[in-house]
């Protein structure tokens, strides 16, 4: 059921929390009009708290600082929560945006972020430390960023998936995963 008070609390928490922003791409775009060309700057920025919240924003303006501020506001407005299993993602996920396909798979501890371009910056700001990513098709920064965010949106907490299916975590993943999950939960 919709509870308006709950949403206000979440917005207050988001406003109070500190986020790190990183620029993914700054590009000059132009529009041809009757009198010539109008030049503007397009900025793509990722914002995240390093603990599962991340967002991507796009801003456009005549001046770079104004475009950066627009992108930061857009990124903070569109934050998503990413479920983490320790320092990695719980399972493989794939998504497409335009002709770009992003494939993310969990990795063992100590692997690091093996991904390129915009995907690496987004995963870092989300707090994911061990993951393997592959980008197929176009490497356009905007499409890679959108596909990465859409892939992270697909992730659900394994506990929620197990309850939805009516099985235990042991049945869902096997005993080795349950022990690892409980160990990671206690360490955090």
């Amino acid at each position: 059921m919709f509870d308006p008070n709950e949403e206000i609390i979440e917005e207050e928490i988001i406003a109070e929390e500190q986020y790190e922003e990183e620029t993914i791409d700054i590009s000059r775009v132009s529009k041809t009009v009757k009198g010539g060309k109008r030049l503007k700057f397009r900025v793509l920025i990722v914002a995240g708290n390093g603990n599962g919240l991340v967002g991507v924003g796009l801003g456009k303006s005549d001046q770079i600082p104004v475009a950066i501020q627009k992108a930061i506001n857009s990124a903070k407005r569109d934050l998503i929560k990413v479920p983490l299993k320790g320092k990695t993602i719980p399972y493989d996920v794939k998504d497409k945006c335009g002709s770009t396909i992003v494939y993310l798979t969990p990795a063992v501890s100590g692997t690091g972020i093996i991904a390129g371009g915009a995907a690496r910056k987004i995963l870092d700001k989300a707090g994911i430390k061990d993951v393997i990513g592959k980008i197929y098709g176009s490497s356009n920064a905007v499409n890679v960023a959108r596909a990465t965010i859409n892939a992270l949106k697909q992730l659900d907490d394994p506990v929620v998936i197990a309850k939805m299916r009516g099985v235990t975590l042991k049945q869902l993943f096997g005993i080795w995963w349950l022990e690892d999950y409980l160990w990671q939960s206690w360490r955090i």
Side-chain angles (χ1 to χ4, degrees):
M1 197 70 167
F2 177 71
D3 185 14
N5 295 334
E6 185 178 9
E7 206 167 296
I8 292 170
I9 292 170
E10 289 177 7
E11 288 178 8
E12 289 174 0
I13 291 171
I14 288 173
E16 292 173 5
E17 219 171 313
Q18 295 295 332
Y19 294 98
E20 296 178 13
E21 298 98 11
E22 189 172 351
T23 303
I24 296 174
D25 183 45
I26 297 178
S27 56
R28 199 175 73 176
V29 294
S30 63
K31 175 183 178 182
T32 305
V33 293
K34 188 176 178 182
K37 291 184 179 180
R38 287 217 179 123
L39 295 177
K40 289 191 177 188
F41 294 96
R42 185 184 69 189
V43 178
L44 184 66
I45 285 188
V46 59
N49 67 351
N51 197 20
L53 278 177
V54 68
V56 172
L58 195 63
K60 195 185 295 183
S61 179
D62 297 338
Q63 302 161 353
I64 292 178
V66 177
I68 289 173
Q69 193 56 48
K70 284 183 180 181
I72 289 171
N73 292 341
S74 175
K76 288 184 179 178
R77 194 171 45 241
D78 297 333
L79 290 171
I80 62 166
K81 178 74 176 149
V82 179
L84 301 175
K85 179 191 155 205
K87 294 181 179 180
T88 187
I89 56 177
Y91 50 87
D92 295 2
V93 67
K94 178 170 84 169
D95 198 73
K96 180 177 180 175
C97 180
S99 65
T100 300
I101 299 172
V102 172
Y103 180 72
L104 303 173
T105 185
V108 296
S109 182
T111 303
I113 300 174
I114 301 175
R120 172 186 285 274
K121 292 181 180 181
I122 292 170
L123 295 169
D124 182 43
K125 293 301 174 207
I128 301 169
K129 301 297 179 201
D130 300 309
V131 68
I132 298 172
K134 179 65 182 162
I135 300 168
Y136 297 102
S138 172
S139 60
N140 179 357
V142 176
N143 284 350
V144 170
R146 286 180 179 161
T148 305
I149 288 292
N150 291 340
L152 293 176
K153 281 183 188 176
Q154 293 176 13
L155 292 173
D156 281 328
D157 190 27
V159 176
V160 174
I161 293 173
K163 285 182 183 177
M164 185 174 63
R165 293 184 186 178
V167 297
T168 63
L169 280 174
K170 183 179 177 182
Q171 292 170 327
L172 187 64
F173 287 105
I175 189 70
W176 62 270
W177 189 89
L178 180 61
E179 290 173 354
D180 187 42
Y181 183 78
L182 293 174
W183 173 249
Q184 294 292 339
S185 299
W186 283 103
R187 283 186 14 187
I188 296 172

